[in-house]
Amino acid sequence: MIVEMKNIRKHFEGLEVLKDISFGVDSGEVVSIIGPSGSGKSTLLRCATFLETIDGGEIIYMGKRAAHTDESGRAVYVHHRELRQFRAYCGLVFQQFNLFPHYNVLQNLIDAPIEVQHRNRDEAEQTAMELLKKMGIADKAKAYPYQLSGGQQQRVAIARALAMKPEILFFDEPTSALDPELTGEVLKVIRQLAEEKMTMVVVTHEMSFAKAVSNRVIFMADGLIVEHGDPREVFENPHEDRTRQFLRVFDR
């Protein structure tokens, strides 16, 4: 098991956003998370990647516990030096790309491997160029983000996450800022990663993609996992009324 999230709770200013969420992801598995806006999907990813702290529950990576709830009911994390290793297990691709505008594409890819992981510059550049070639944008290595289309920027963002060599990659609605044509470019890349058995968790509104590529689908609503299971079962024969209600919108 790459990651396990157990009984995760998170609130903001008294509003409970995640309510006792539990799931795990095995090596090579693709898990899609679907659900209405405001259901807690993005917050769950931010907690899984340590960008947000949980209020309760347990986070386990590679069999090691990164956070747990102590006897007083408070969430406790490992020391920040240990947490650095846990952060290295995971990568996150955002909706809005989040590239450094003052860096060219190659610099965006090599900055963290060199500064955070202390990797050799030549090795980092070689890895970066291999990833850009894989994304079909090796010719854009010296370009700046403003010179790229949205689809190209998102492919750079995926390459940047992969450059850190994570065990698992999280995607937070990676196509929501793109038009349909550019959406296809990015989904093709994620599909290719799935074929290569990259472990991934994908928050998405692309239902046909989730059905075709995922090993499992999780449906979230109101901070809860309402239903999860085999994609065909969830999409074609959902057990819960709330799931059916949500999917009807996409069948119109």
Side-chain angles (χ1 to χ4, degrees):
M1 191 79 73
I2 299 291
V3 62
E4 296 174 82
M5 307 282 284
K6 297 182 178 181
N7 310 113
I8 301 299
R9 293 181 290 104
K10 176 67 179 177
H11 69 268
F12 293 105
E13 298 179 355
L15 176 65
E16 198 171 17
V17 178
L18 299 176
K19 308 168 185 176
D20 198 26
I21 295 282
S22 297
F23 76 100
V25 186
D26 279 319
S27 178
E29 193 175 27
V30 179
V31 176
S32 288
I33 303 179
I34 63 173
S37 297
S39 58
K41 306 183 300 296
S42 294
T43 300
L44 180 60
L45 260 58
R46 292 180 66 84
C47 288
T49 54
F50 308 105
L51 293 178
E52 294 283 358
T53 55
I54 60 173
D55 294 318
E58 196 172 7
I59 302 175
I60 301 168
Y61 272 92
M62 311 297 286
K64 299 175 183 176
R65 194 165 65 177
H68 71 282
T69 306
D70 67 11
E71 294 176 358
S72 69
R74 186 173 62 94
V76 178
Y77 283 76
V78 295
H79 191 275
H80 67 84
R81 282 195 296 269
E82 289 182 78
L83 200 57
R84 207 176 298 151
Q85 177 57 59
F86 284 103
R87 287 195 173 106
Y89 290 137
C90 54
L92 177 59
V93 178
F94 300 88
Q95 298 178 29
Q96 299 293 341
F97 325 134
N98 284 19
L99 300 176
F100 296 121
H102 57 295
Y103 282 174
N104 66 28
V105 167
L106 182 62
Q107 289 170 314
N108 264 282
L109 264 65
I110 67 173
D111 181 64
I114 292 172
E115 297 299 327
V116 178
Q117 297 181 333
H118 308 296
R119 279 161 46 194
N120 176 275
R121 186 180 185 90
D122 289 341
E123 179 208 339
E125 287 190 359
Q126 182 181 344
T127 299
M129 290 307 300
E130 288 169 358
L131 287 168
L132 291 175
K133 184 177 180 181
K134 184 176 184 174
M135 299 292 145
I137 48 174
D139 60 325
K140 302 295 184 183
K142 299 299 183 183
Y144 285 81
Y146 77 91
Q147 297 173 309
L148 306 178
S149 70
Q152 289 170 335
Q153 288 187 62
Q154 192 60 293
R155 281 182 280 164
V156 172
I158 294 170
R160 181 177 64 178
L162 289 169
M164 298 292 283
K165 300 183 178 180
E167 297 289 338
I168 183 170
L169 205 50
F170 293 88
F171 292 84
D172 187 8
E173 297 186 19
T175 61
S176 65
L178 305 176
D179 64 37
E181 184 178 358
L182 299 180
T183 291
E185 292 179 10
V186 173
L187 294 182
K188 182 180 177 182
V189 168
I190 300 174
R191 198 181 291 261
Q192 179 185 347
L193 292 173
E195 290 171 359
E196 295 170 1
K197 299 299 181 183
M198 180 72 201
T199 309
M200 295 184 285
V201 175
V202 186
V203 169
T204 183
H205 288 299
E206 301 290 336
M207 298 300 134
S208 58
F209 170 81
K211 183 177 178 181
V213 174
S214 309
N215 300 104
R216 281 186 296 127
V217 170
I218 292 172
F219 171 65
M220 284 183 65
D222 303 316
L224 295 165
I225 292 178
V226 176
E227 188 160 354
H228 73 281
D230 177 85
R232 188 173 295 275
E233 185 74 12
V234 171
F235 284 109
E236 297 181 7
N237 188 31
H239 298 160
E240 303 296 328
D241 288 339
R242 186 66 184 88
T243 314
R244 287 193 286 271
Q245 179 187 347
F246 174 77
L247 292 174
R248 266 188 223 114
V249 176
F250 292 92
D251 290 337
R252 289 173 185 168

